[in-house]
Amino acid sequence: MDLLCQTCGADPRGSWGSSVPRGDPAEGTCADCGRPLAAPFNRAVLADGAPAVEYEFEEWGAEDRAAAADALTARVVPFRWEPGLVLAVAAHREADADAVLDELEAVAAVDDAALPEVDDDWGQGEDAFAALGELFDSADRLFHTPTGTTAANDLRESGAVVRGSAPPYGFDPQVWRTAGELATQVESLLTDGSNDDIKVRAQALRDAIAPHI
């Protein structure tokens, strides 16, 4: 499965999605979702031959498939993409995968039903999005220097804002929720985890946010 994008499942040798490329397979990035073709090193990957359940994603767009991968990664559910936009998930985590996909489909149904009205909360949305950028920055600093006190405090503050705020107008709610959950995981490691643990989860947080800021 090395030829497939391990974020959205696309095959770089053929177009599964938009005709407008978002990445460059020659440079190791997916033309459908814009993410690196290889899976993040800290992702729980389904081993060859392990019992698995399969989900078909032919009707899902690249961004929705990437959101599913982000959510499964945040919940440490082992999975891998297979040809034909098929997602293989560890059989013993089927219930968790079902819950993730049900939530994503519910969010999509709400979004398709009606667009939210623009109201006086627009300014709050800008503040929340700024906090997401600060969360990315602090996660990046902790990845490079996991003992950084200032970065740790900045991550706690921006993480609290993200978790306590609704997604900005037009922002994917699932990605927003995943960012908050990953921030919580990093925060818990700041007091109880090793430097290596902090680096691994900080990178996962940084990589989940990067395509959206």
Side-chain angles (χ1 to χ4, degrees):
M1 301 306 102
D2 293 341
L3 294 176
L4 303 180
C5 171
Q6 286 303 308
T7 294
C8 76
D11 188 335
R13 298 165 300 177
S15 176
W16 287 104
S18 172
S19 60
V20 180
R22 299 183 59 183
D24 184 354
E27 297 295 329
T29 54
C30 177
D32 275 32
C33 70
R35 308 277 194 92
L37 290 170
F41 77 91
N42 58 311
R43 174 178 292 174
V45 178
L46 180 64
D48 291 339
V53 291
E54 295 184 346
Y55 300 86
E56 296 182 355
F57 280 77
E58 290 184 348
E59 298 182 359
W60 289 52
E63 291 187 4
D64 292 332
R65 301 195 305 269
D70 288 341
L72 292 171
T73 298
R75 290 162 175 77
V76 200
V77 176
F79 70 92
R80 67 171 178 266
W81 286 100
E82 299 187 339
L85 298 182
V86 171
L87 185 71
V89 176
H92 70 283
R93 300 295 301 275
E94 180 178 3
D96 295 317
D98 286 344
V100 166
L101 299 182
D102 287 346
E103 185 175 354
L104 289 172
E105 289 178 336
V107 169
V110 171
D111 290 344
D112 290 342
L115 292 174
E117 295 181 0
V118 179
D119 54 27
D120 293 338
D121 292 336
W122 180 261
Q124 296 177 12
E126 289 183 337
D127 292 340
F129 190 77
L132 188 70
E134 293 168 3
L135 190 59
F136 170 85
D137 179 69
S138 57
D140 183 64
R141 285 184 284 151
L142 284 172
F143 170 71
H144 291 95
T145 309
T147 57
T149 302
T150 301
N153 290 335
D154 289 346
L155 183 135
R156 291 187 181 99
E157 292 179 5
S158 55
V161 173
V162 169
R163 288 189 296 270
S165 304
Y169 177 77
F171 197 95
D172 187 328
Q174 181 60 44
V175 174
W176 187 261
R177 187 176 300 108
T178 297
E181 292 173 352
L182 289 173
T184 298
Q185 294 177 19
V186 177
E187 290 172 30
S188 66
L189 292 172
L190 293 175
T191 54
D192 300 324
S194 67
N195 288 344
D196 287 341
D197 289 338
I198 293 172
K199 290 182 67 174
V200 167
R201 299 317 296 168
Q203 184 182 32
L205 172 59
R206 182 191 65 178
D207 292 349
I209 297 173
H212 307 283
I213 59 174

